[in-house]
Amino acid sequence: MPQVAKLAINGNRLQSQIDELALISENGPPVVTRILFSEADLRGRAFVKKLAEEAGLHLRQDAIGNIFVRWAGQNPDLPAVATGSHIDAIPNAGKFDGVVGVLGALEAIRALQGAGIHPKRSIELIIFTAEEPTRFGLGCIGSRLLAGTMSPEKAALLKDRDGTTLESWRTQVGWADGDLGSVRLPQHRYSAFVELHIEQGPLLDKEKIPIGIVEKIAAPSTLRLELTGVGGHAGAVLMPERHDALLAGAEIALAVEQAALTSGSADTVATTGIFRIEPGAVNSVPCQAHLEIDLRDTQALTRDSALAQIERSVREICRRRGVTSDLERVATDPPVICDPKLVSLIDQTCSTLGVPAKRMISRAYHDSSFMAQVCPTAMIFIPCRNGYSHRPDEYSSPEQIKTGVTVLAHTLASLSSAD
Ligand code: GLV
Ligand code: MN
Ligand code: MN
């Protein structure tokens, strides 16, 4: 690691920017909700762009709305060093998920600038579009397109709950000039990608360790299920005649839980996070149910066998209840191994700085999962209180964030000075 003058990370400035961004939300504080293409999402993007411009950085946006904030290096033709995360937030979220890796990276760049460093390689902060799956039921849309793991044709046809396609949204928000096919990164655009993020789990907080270095990201998957039963009058349709879509869905939700509990792996987790019914009237038998199921494991093998178990349960339950099903595997992503050299570099950086660190697995998915297909990738975690995340009381202290930014800044300094 090259000697870098003591970096002046301005923790107060960073905290006040995190607080300001949190107020750009579809719900009042402490809740943060910023769903892709919402007014809050667009205002959040404008806020971050303004901060980047104020730092004298160059901005570019691609056709899916990924934002690239570039600090040009002395040799701009060398592959750049990338960092970044997301600012979209699921409904009823907190203010740190993703944001720490965006505003924290901006602070890291400002600190390196302030230290008079002139990086050899350019440093690029990426603000990824739709890491969260809320609008289209699929997460990491921006990074999937960057990595080329999803085709532009498939992306364009993604539909939200109202049936509006991604392509139509792009037109509405004025991004449709560019072709989605142009989003894919050329070979060797980046020499490395490092994402700073809150842990979203309890280990660092419990063990009082300030930094986690991610070696592996668990394998996520998502299922979407439409159930069609037979509706009718809640007073008139006798019980033996019923084909209630909600009850089929309820049994399936329990089968999802069982599939995780009996997978043989303590790392299998399964969640039915969306369950809507039609027509939604107290005196009407539910004729339609829509479920979205999230299933993960650190190993693809156990995740896949739990997935197959859920699919068998859906068939059996629907047959028995006379309900028809339309089940779609929305995504089945592999686990990701972070780059061992990059992991060692971060470890070494922590040792040099005297910051205790622990190697760990990320159970949450991240844009890093897809950036790992493009260039050597690793993640820096900071603790969050009780491991709470995806809820308004998500919390990391200013000191914890500052430590993460310090480690990130030194890591970027090392990577950007390499030949
Ligand atoms: C990311 O937000 C995830 O659900 O892991
Ligand atoms: Mn999240
Ligand atoms: Mn996140």
Short mmCIF file of all heavy atoms in Angstrom, two decimals, residues 86 88-90 97-98 131-133 197 200 364-365 389-390 394, ligand 2:
data_model
loop_
_atom_site.label_atom_id
_atom_site.label_comp_id
_atom_site.label_asym_id
_atom_site.label_seq_id
_atom_site.Cartn_x
_atom_site.Cartn_y
_atom_site.Cartn_z
N HIS A 86 -25.96 1.82 -4.46
CA HIS A 86 -27.26 2.28 -4.97
C HIS A 86 -27.92 3.26 -4.00
O HIS A 86 -27.61 3.24 -2.80
CB HIS A 86 -28.20 1.08 -5.17
CG HIS A 86 -28.47 0.34 -3.88
ND1 HIS A 86 -29.63 0.52 -3.15
CD2 HIS A 86 -27.73 -0.56 -3.17
CE1 HIS A 86 -29.59 -0.26 -2.07
NE2 HIS A 86 -28.44 -0.91 -2.06
N ASP A 88 -31.51 3.62 -4.43
CA ASP A 88 -32.93 3.27 -4.35
C ASP A 88 -33.16 2.50 -3.05
O ASP A 88 -32.23 1.91 -2.49
CB ASP A 88 -33.42 2.50 -5.58
CG ASP A 88 -32.76 1.14 -5.78
OD1 ASP A 88 -31.57 1.01 -5.44
OD2 ASP A 88 -33.43 0.23 -6.29
N ALA A 89 -34.38 2.59 -2.53
CA ALA A 89 -34.68 1.99 -1.23
C ALA A 89 -36.03 1.31 -1.30
O ALA A 89 -36.97 1.86 -1.89
CB ALA A 89 -34.68 3.07 -0.15
N ILE A 90 -36.12 0.13 -0.69
CA ILE A 90 -37.39 -0.60 -0.71
C ILE A 90 -38.41 0.14 0.15
O ILE A 90 -38.04 1.01 0.94
CB ILE A 90 -37.21 -2.05 -0.17
CG1 ILE A 90 -36.84 -2.06 1.33
CG2 ILE A 90 -36.18 -2.82 -0.99
CD1 ILE A 90 -37.08 -3.40 1.99
N ASP A 97 -28.61 1.62 3.76
CA ASP A 97 -28.44 0.56 2.75
C ASP A 97 -28.15 1.21 1.39
O ASP A 97 -28.98 1.98 0.89
CB ASP A 97 -29.74 -0.27 2.71
CG ASP A 97 -29.76 -1.32 1.61
OD1 ASP A 97 -28.76 -1.49 0.89
OD2 ASP A 97 -30.81 -1.99 1.48
N GLY A 98 -26.99 0.93 0.83
CA GLY A 98 -26.64 1.49 -0.48
C GLY A 98 -26.03 2.88 -0.38
O GLY A 98 -24.96 3.15 -0.93
N GLU A 131 -30.95 -1.43 -7.68
CA GLU A 131 -30.40 -2.60 -6.99
C GLU A 131 -31.56 -3.35 -6.33
O GLU A 131 -31.55 -4.56 -6.21
CB GLU A 131 -29.38 -2.15 -5.94
CG GLU A 131 -28.57 -3.30 -5.34
CD GLU A 131 -29.15 -3.89 -4.07
OE1 GLU A 131 -30.15 -3.36 -3.55
OE2 GLU A 131 -28.61 -4.89 -3.59
N GLU A 132 -32.55 -2.57 -5.88
CA GLU A 132 -33.70 -3.18 -5.20
C GLU A 132 -34.73 -3.66 -6.23
O GLU A 132 -34.90 -3.04 -7.28
CB GLU A 132 -34.35 -2.17 -4.25
CG GLU A 132 -33.40 -1.62 -3.17
CD GLU A 132 -33.02 -2.67 -2.12
OE1 GLU A 132 -33.38 -3.85 -2.27
OE2 GLU A 132 -32.33 -2.29 -1.15
N PRO A 133 -35.43 -4.74 -5.90
CA PRO A 133 -36.33 -5.33 -6.89
C PRO A 133 -37.75 -4.75 -6.90
O PRO A 133 -38.62 -5.29 -7.58
CB PRO A 133 -36.36 -6.80 -6.45
CG PRO A 133 -36.19 -6.74 -4.97
CD PRO A 133 -35.30 -5.56 -4.69
N HIS A 197 -20.56 -1.07 2.13
CA HIS A 197 -21.97 -1.33 2.42
C HIS A 197 -22.13 -1.65 3.90
O HIS A 197 -21.18 -2.11 4.54
CB HIS A 197 -22.47 -2.52 1.57
CG HIS A 197 -23.94 -2.49 1.30
ND1 HIS A 197 -24.88 -2.88 2.23
CD2 HIS A 197 -24.65 -2.13 0.20
CE1 HIS A 197 -26.09 -2.75 1.70
NE2 HIS A 197 -25.98 -2.29 0.47
N GLN A 200 -25.84 -5.52 7.11
CA GLN A 200 -27.22 -6.03 7.04
C GLN A 200 -27.36 -7.37 7.76
O GLN A 200 -28.25 -8.16 7.45
CB GLN A 200 -27.70 -6.15 5.58
CG GLN A 200 -27.56 -4.85 4.81
CD GLN A 200 -28.11 -4.90 3.41
OE1 GLN A 200 -27.47 -5.44 2.53
NE2 GLN A 200 -29.29 -4.35 3.20
N ALA A 364 -26.88 -10.84 1.96
CA ALA A 364 -27.64 -9.98 1.05
C ALA A 364 -26.94 -9.99 -0.31
O ALA A 364 -25.76 -10.26 -0.39
CB ALA A 364 -27.68 -8.56 1.59
N TYR A 365 -27.69 -9.70 -1.36
CA TYR A 365 -27.04 -9.55 -2.67
C TYR A 365 -26.73 -8.08 -2.90
O TYR A 365 -27.26 -7.19 -2.22
CB TYR A 365 -27.85 -10.17 -3.81
CG TYR A 365 -29.24 -9.62 -4.05
CD1 TYR A 365 -29.45 -8.36 -4.59
CD2 TYR A 365 -30.37 -10.40 -3.78
CE1 TYR A 365 -30.73 -7.88 -4.84
CE2 TYR A 365 -31.65 -9.93 -4.03
CZ TYR A 365 -31.83 -8.67 -4.56
OH TYR A 365 -33.08 -8.20 -4.78
N SER A 389 -31.77 -4.19 8.99
CA SER A 389 -31.73 -3.54 7.68
C SER A 389 -33.06 -3.78 6.98
O SER A 389 -33.83 -4.64 7.39
CB SER A 389 -30.58 -4.10 6.84
OG SER A 389 -30.48 -3.39 5.63
N HIS A 390 -33.30 -3.01 5.94
CA HIS A 390 -34.61 -3.04 5.26
C HIS A 390 -35.72 -2.72 6.27
O HIS A 390 -36.80 -3.29 6.23
CB HIS A 390 -34.86 -4.40 4.56
CG HIS A 390 -34.10 -4.53 3.28
ND1 HIS A 390 -34.26 -5.59 2.42
CD2 HIS A 390 -33.20 -3.72 2.68
CE1 HIS A 390 -33.48 -5.45 1.35
NE2 HIS A 390 -32.82 -4.31 1.50
N GLU A 394 -32.77 0.93 10.82
CA GLU A 394 -31.41 0.60 10.36
C GLU A 394 -30.46 1.71 10.85
O GLU A 394 -30.77 2.89 10.70
CB GLU A 394 -31.50 0.58 8.83
CG GLU A 394 -30.26 0.26 8.06
CD GLU A 394 -30.60 0.25 6.56
OE1 GLU A 394 -30.60 1.33 5.93
OE2 GLU A 394 -30.89 -0.81 6.02
MN MN B 2 -31.38 -3.44 0.18
#
